[in-house]
Amino acid sequence: MDKSVRTRDTRKRGSKYLKQNIPLYIMLTPAIICFLLFKYAPMGGIVLAFKDYNFWDGIWGSPWVGLKHFDYLFNNPLGWKIIRNTFMLSLLSFIGFPFPILVALLLNEVRKMWFKKIVQTLLYLPHFLSWVIVGGIFITLFSQDSGMVNDILEKLGGERYAFLYQPFSWIAVFLSAGIWKEAGFSAIIYLAALTTIDPSLYESTAMDGAGKWRQMWHVSLPGIRPTIILMLILGVGRVMEVGFDHIYVMQNRVVADISEVISTYTFKTGIQGGEFGVPAAMGLFESLVGFTLVLTANRIARKFNQSLW
């Protein structure tokens, strides 16, 4: 009898909770529909990785070829080069991971609100510019013929340098553009995490003689550690995902050996060339690697009691 009463009470509380939150569920519905349409529905295209697709027969009518496209991918030097470039550029992009944290820590210490708002606006603004604009800015700045950087270099007595046509310097420009565009906006989540830290902790450390840098190191950083680990896990899941628009705008034929990645190859071969099998296989491989890395990173974080699930 007691068990049935408890079950009935649980159902009543659940029903009451559901009715109270109906407006929230209604607000969430468009996001769920959008997610289903643009995230889950396209997963049906995975079947192209196992078919010899042609427009005449369609997706379901095209003949099955099994692992033919994967065999081509892993036995073709071009395929390994593209995978290597994707993995390399993605790992190098982690160089920019600490910058939003540093920006958030520094902004958190600013006490003049008017100055803080101006700096925040200037740092957030690049995020809202398209990669066409950002890429154009950096290409103009580092152009060998009329770039501002080369003009300054020449006035200082140096020689003009082909920043965009040398592998090492191209990678440096590529990474710098990504950091400049996203560091400020990515700091928002860390700034929000910093607001949850108890102010009395700062007061206690100040009374013990700790300066601003020690407060940041011993109070601010430990306080946002769960957020940092969460963002790191999510970032690891995108290790094989180099932004298409970012690299497509900035790449050129001279540095194609290091700038051709999965996303650009998929666009050129699939959309422009009309061959969908190999790009689909490459995209599936990219997703599986990302999924494996997320599970691995989460398992490692779990040992420090900071896992995502």
Side-chain angles (χ1 to χ4, degrees), residues 1 14 20 50 62 87 102 126 134 145 167 177 194 219 226 251 262 292:
M1 183 65 180
Q20 288 177 343
F50 307 96
S62 299
F87 196 72
L102 180 60
V134 175
D145 298 327
L194 285 168
V219 179
Q251 69 177 182
I262 291 177
T292 304

Side-chain angles (χ1 to χ4, degrees), residues 64 85 96 101 106 154 199 209 240 246 271:
W64 291 91
N85 293 342
I101 302 173
L106 295 177
E154 190 176 39
M240 292 294 289
H246 181 185
I271 305 300

Side-chain angles (χ1 to χ4, degrees), residues 149-195:
V149 175
N150 270 309
D151 289 343
I152 296 173
L153 190 63
E154 190 176 39
K155 289 180 179 179
L156 293 176
E159 295 182 358
R160 289 184 172 270
Y161 186 78
F163 289 99
L164 301 174
Y165 300 101
Q166 299 295 331
F168 180 80
S169 58
W170 183 88
I171 291 175
V173 173
F174 173 81
L175 297 176
S176 300
I179 293 172
W180 181 76
K181 187 176 188 297
E182 299 296 342
F185 191 79
S186 299
I188 292 176
I189 190 168
Y190 298 110
L191 282 170
L194 285 168
T195 61

Side-chain angles (χ1 to χ4, degrees), residues 73 78-91 93 170-171 174 239-249 251-252 255-270 278-279 282-283 286:
L73 174 63
L78 177 61
W80 280 112
K81 182 188 294 185
I82 292 170
I83 293 172
R84 181 205 67 189
N85 293 342
T86 305
F87 196 72
M88 177 190 69
L89 291 176
S90 295
L91 284 179
S93 295
W170 183 88
I171 291 175
F174 173 81
V239 160
M240 292 294 289
E241 182 183 335
V242 182
F244 165 76
D245 43 2
H246 181 185
I247 198 164
Y248 186 75
V249 168
Q251 69 177 182
N252 56 73
V255 292
D257 285 343
I258 61 166
S259 65
E260 194 69 59
V261 295
I262 291 177
S263 57
T264 56
Y265 177 80
T266 300
F267 172 74
K268 293 174 183 176
T269 306
V278 175
M282 192 172 287
E286 176 187 7

Side-chain angles (χ1 to χ4, degrees), residues 34 40 54 81 95 99 110 184 225 242 296 302 307:
C34 183
Y40 283 96
N54 62 80
K81 182 188 294 185
I95 294 174
F99 282 88
V110 176
R225 184 173 61 183
V242 182
T296 304
R302 188 181 299 165
S307 61

